[in-house]
Amino acid sequence: MSEAPAALAPFAVSAPTLRALASTEPSPEGTRLVRDVRRSKRLLLLRAVLDRAPGAEAAEHWALLEEAERHDPDAVRDVLHYPATGVWAEETLRRLHAPDGPPADLGHLGALAAAAALRAGITFKVTLRPANGRLVLPTLGLLRPDRPGPLAVTERSWSGAPDPLPLHALPDGRTALDDLDPYRAPARDEPAQVRPARRLTPKGHKRWDTQWSGALTLLRRYDCARADEIGRLLRSVVPLAGGSRSSGATLPAAAGSVLARAQAPPALAATLVHEVQHGKLTALADVLTLHTADRTPRHWAPWRSDPRPLDGLLHGAYAHLALAGYWQHAALYGARGAWARHARLRAQVAAVLPAIRSHPQLTSGGAEFADAMAAAEQAMDELPPPGDQHATARRTLERERHAWCERHPELADFPGC
């Protein structure tokens, strides 16, 4: 589109913004940076797809997007910046660069254009090809044609369809529960523990509505700033399949989305706090190099049984720092068991911060970020848990660290052991 950049614009991350992000506490500057980075990166990715897409059909679909944008820029922006659109764009660009592999799904660009045009309320006609009797229109839902073959989509196709299946909106009205979009999660590198669920039943949607409402109630009660941040940064939630081993996950290609398992409201609230941090740190790392370490797993992480590379350790510490802050807020409001959770999480973060801060491959920006994380962890002393809960948590963690290091003698020379 006309606003798509040729290259990712340089971002100046000010010292106050970097410190605010490092603390994990929500801030207008941090939220603005994350959203601007995501927007710029998405437009760059879409521009790259268009530049390599062959044929007149792709140009026709792009022209429809531009026409829709002239009538309703916000509607088109929501379609193009929807998390699943990023997954499609990355996969499409990868396939366009590898012509010997599976063909790129360029027809999905037409579905994006049709969704944008429908939401913009313009008159149009575009021919699309349903897959397996389904035509997904991103941010809207899916159509189920009554006969096979190409389908002519017009401004009447959604409202006049006999049996459209809308994308499920969660009770807050800002976040979609996406169990429809074929690109709601990357298929290429999808770990077994984060498989997206298939389309839910009405009972499944109702269950999610109840749990989501309960989680938001808790977030707003205990930490309204984090509740607002989640609303601003999270566009969709993708339900995890029942056999998934993880309670939640964030995948970089789907910026603005979280994969989550259906769970009780207290657990879901914590999952949302945790996963949104990964998205924030990913956006920051897109414009500021925090370290130059490789992906070799060398470090003890108390929330994992396996060794972690520096990047994984940094991500984990960052997300757990946010959780320690959230449970501290919850404890001050009297949430049962919150002080113990806070003490455990804070002890975990404090235990790994020295290894992060002393790592020789931190950049100057990374060192500043890690120092600000440490300052945020130390500031929790202002509101300590009652009794000796924090000291007890640290002693327990030290025993766990010694046991872990005994199981990994090959890592004895690395920080943490």
Side-chain angles (χ1 to χ4, degrees):
M1 301 178 72
S2 57
E3 63 174 333
L8 188 62
F11 283 83
V13 184
S14 69
T17 299
L18 185 63
R19 288 194 295 270
L21 281 169
S23 75
T24 79
E25 292 294 331
S27 70
E29 299 80 11
T31 298
R32 188 179 309 115
L33 178 70
V34 170
R35 295 179 73 175
D36 287 350
V37 169
R38 288 176 175 176
R39 177 177 177 275
S40 185
K41 187 178 180 181
R42 178 64 53 81
L43 292 174
L44 176 63
L45 187 59
L46 291 168
R47 181 78 250 178
V49 169
L50 179 64
D51 288 345
R52 291 193 63 88
E57 186 175 71
E60 176 188 345
H61 294 160
W62 197 261
L64 179 56
L65 277 167
E66 291 183 323
E67 182 183 354
E69 185 192 33
R70 286 191 289 272
H71 286 78
D72 192 339
D74 289 340
V76 177
R77 188 177 298 117
D78 190 51
V79 173
L80 294 184
H81 294 282
Y82 188 66
T85 304
V87 177
W88 166 79
E90 284 202 9
E91 179 64 23
T92 298
L93 193 59
R94 184 161 42 237
R95 292 186 178 189
L96 289 171
H97 279 282
D100 295 333
D105 180 14
L106 291 173
H108 192 70
L109 180 60
L112 291 168
L118 283 165
R119 293 188 54 184
I122 64 174
T123 299
F124 73 100
K125 182 177 181 179
V126 62
T127 300
L128 303 177
R129 298 169 185 81
N132 302 316
R134 296 157 43 108
L135 178 64
V136 172
L137 299 175
T139 74
L140 288 175
L142 67 84
L143 297 173
R144 292 173 283 193
D146 54 6
R147 55 181 176 273
L151 178 68
V153 179
T154 71
E155 66 276 8
R156 297 180 298 279
S157 291
W158 184 254
S159 59
D163 190 23
L165 188 62
L167 187 66
H168 187 77
L170 288 165
D172 70 335
R174 293 195 287 185
T175 309
L177 184 70
D178 195 341
D179 57 345
L180 296 177
D181 199 297
Y183 293 99
R184 61 191 181 274
R188 177 184 172 89
D189 300 316
E190 181 186 296
Q193 66 267 29
V194 292
R195 290 184 299 105
R198 296 185 178 183
R199 179 154 54 93
L200 302 181
T201 63
K203 184 178 179 180
H205 286 157
K206 185 176 181 180
R207 180 187 181 194
W208 261 98
D209 286 349
T210 300
Q211 293 173 339
W212 180 262
S213 295
L216 284 191
T217 297
L218 294 176
L219 284 164
R220 289 166 179 158
R221 179 186 304 159
Y222 299 148
D223 199 335
C224 59
R226 291 198 190 279
D228 182 66
E229 179 183 62
I230 288 168
R232 292 178 183 278
L233 294 181
L234 198 60
R235 178 65 180 85
S236 68
V237 175
V238 175
L240 281 169
S244 299
R245 298 191 297 275
S246 175
S247 60
T250 303
L251 303 177
S257 181
V258 162
L259 293 100
R261 189 175 62 211
Q263 52 200 298
L268 180 58
T271 293
L272 295 175
V273 170
H274 181 279
E275 296 303 332
V276 164
Q277 308 312 309
H278 288 303
K280 289 162 61 178
L281 187 51
T282 296
L284 176 63
D286 280 335
V287 294
L288 180 67
T289 301
L290 299 174
H291 65 83
T292 58
D294 60 25
R295 299 290 301 173
T296 305
R298 298 187 176 100
H299 302 285
W300 167 65
W303 45 85
R304 295 277 297 246
S305 61
D306 53 331
R308 301 296 289 153
L310 176 61
D311 198 62
L313 187 66
L314 181 60
H315 263 273
Y318 187 67
H320 283 75
L321 178 62
L323 278 176
Y326 168 70
W327 284 116
Q328 185 180 50
H329 282 281
L332 294 170
Y333 277 89
R336 183 179 300 176
W339 276 127
R341 290 187 178 93
H342 161 75
R344 169 76 176 175
L345 288 159
R346 185 185 170 190
Q348 290 177 331
V349 174
V352 301
L353 277 173
I356 294 173
R357 297 175 73 191
S358 65
H359 200 286
Q361 289 176 287
L362 280 185
T363 63
S364 59
E368 186 178 354
F369 186 81
D371 288 347
M373 284 179 62
E377 185 270 322
Q378 287 296 312
M380 292 177 181
D381 278 337
E382 296 175 7
L383 296 167
D388 63 347
Q389 291 188 60
H390 190 208
T392 299
R394 297 187 78 150
R395 288 194 297 269
T396 300
L397 198 63
E398 185 63 13
R399 290 194 296 269
E400 293 174 4
R401 183 184 69 83
H402 278 298
W404 188 91
C405 291
E406 287 178 358
R407 294 194 301 272
H408 295 276
E410 75 282 4
L411 300 177
D413 294 334
F414 293 97
C417 286

